Structures are given as C-alpha cells and as structure tokens.
Amino acid sequence: MRRLRVYADTSVFGGCFDDEFAEASRTFFRDVAAGRFVVVIADAVLRELALAPERVRGVLKDLSADAVERITLTEEIGRLRDAYVREGVLGRASRNDAEHIASASVAVVDLLISWNFKHIVHFDKITGFEAVNLLHGYRPIRIHSPREVVDL
C-alpha cells in the first residue's frame, strides 16, 4: 500500500506538548513511524522548529530518515506564496503560513495538516488557497486538522 504524503506544519510538532492537541499529534507521528504516512516538511517548518523548544525539535529528530521528505524553498514556491498574499488570502504578516501552503501545493502532497485554525484550517482560507492554486495551475489542496486523519 502506498504511504500518504502528509505535509505537517510546525503546529503539529508543537501539538505533541499541548493538552488539547497532544493525543492526535502523537498518534499522527506514531502512524508516521509505523509507515502509514510520510511526513513532508519544508524550509518554513525547519525555520520555525529552529526557534522551538528542544522537546518540539526532538519530535522531528526521533523520526527515521525514510519517514521524512524535505521540500526546499524554490522560486516556484515563493511565487505561489506571494500570490496568496497578493490575492488577500493571507496578510503579509502570515507569509510563513502562506509558504506552508505553497510548499505543500507545489510538492503535490496528499494532504496538509495543521492546528492553525485562524490562517490555515479555516473554510474561507481553504477556499482562497484553492482558488489561487487553480488560477496558477495547481490542484486544490486538502487541508485538515490532525484529529481528522488519525484514528483516536
């Protein structure tokens, strides 16, 4: 069976240590370790993790190399990120959030998961991301919370 490629933004890593999100976040990473998913991360995740507490960074360090796929920031990702801001889906202050979506879209992941309900996992933001993606020749992106993709 093909493993699903799931882009996990930084909130999912930090969610492992948040009372509200820990169970679903930890279950997701257990599923990654068990081979159900490949976790896809981009430079935006690595930049944000560099500023996070050691225990949050440790979640990534504990994953085997074959369970992680890395996406490097490219001009293509930058153009799509900037299009989300230019089209008003996200403001300039949310460029990193836009970069998460652009990275996942350009990499054609199966889905993106996040605990960011303000800028990412929100019905009107998702509609905006999908519209910009279609305008720029990318497929719509499936965005969910980790709770929606794991069996609790």
Side-chain angles (χ1 to χ4, degrees):
M1 183 171 90
R2 183 179 82 83
R3 295 186 296 172
L4 292 177
R5 294 173 59 243
V6 180
Y7 185 102
D9 80 357
T10 315
S11 69
V12 181
F13 292 85
C16 291
F17 306 98
D18 181 288
D19 290 341
E20 183 178 358
F21 304 128
E23 183 180 12
S25 293
R26 290 176 183 163
T27 300
F28 169 73
F29 287 112
R30 276 196 297 275
D31 286 350
V32 170
R36 181 175 178 207
F37 303 121
V38 172
V39 66
V40 180
I41 59 167
D43 287 348
V45 172
L46 295 176
R47 284 193 311 270
E48 292 171 352
L49 281 177
L51 302 173
E54 178 60 37
R55 66 185 186 162
V56 176
R57 291 192 308 267
V59 174
L60 178 59
K61 290 177 185 173
D62 289 344
L63 295 173
S64 67
D66 69 330
V68 179
E69 178 184 334
R70 181 169 176 210
I71 303 166
T72 302
L73 179 62
T74 62
E75 288 183 28
E76 181 180 12
I77 291 169
R79 283 192 301 270
L80 187 56
R81 172 201 62 210
D82 294 345
Y84 297 137
V85 174
R86 190 175 50 255
E87 296 297 329
V89 180
L90 292 173
R92 289 187 94 48
S94 300
R95 278 183 89 224
N96 262 8
D97 294 331
E99 191 172 318
H100 288 302
I101 306 303
S103 297
S105 295
V106 170
V108 193
V109 300
D110 294 303
L111 57 117
L112 178 148
I113 59 172
S114 174
W115 291 118
N116 183 337
F117 296 111
K118 183 175 182 181
H119 298 126
I120 296 178
V121 189
H122 193 280
F123 77 97
D124 60 348
K125 299 299 182 188
I126 294 169
T127 301
F129 297 135
E130 291 177 345
V132 171
N133 279 9
L134 290 173
L135 284 172
H136 291 269
Y138 298 95
R139 71 177 197 168
I141 184 146
R142 295 173 56 200
I143 299 174
H144 299 278
S145 76
R147 200 172 278 125
E148 296 174 292
V149 300
V150 297
D151 297 323
L152 296 176

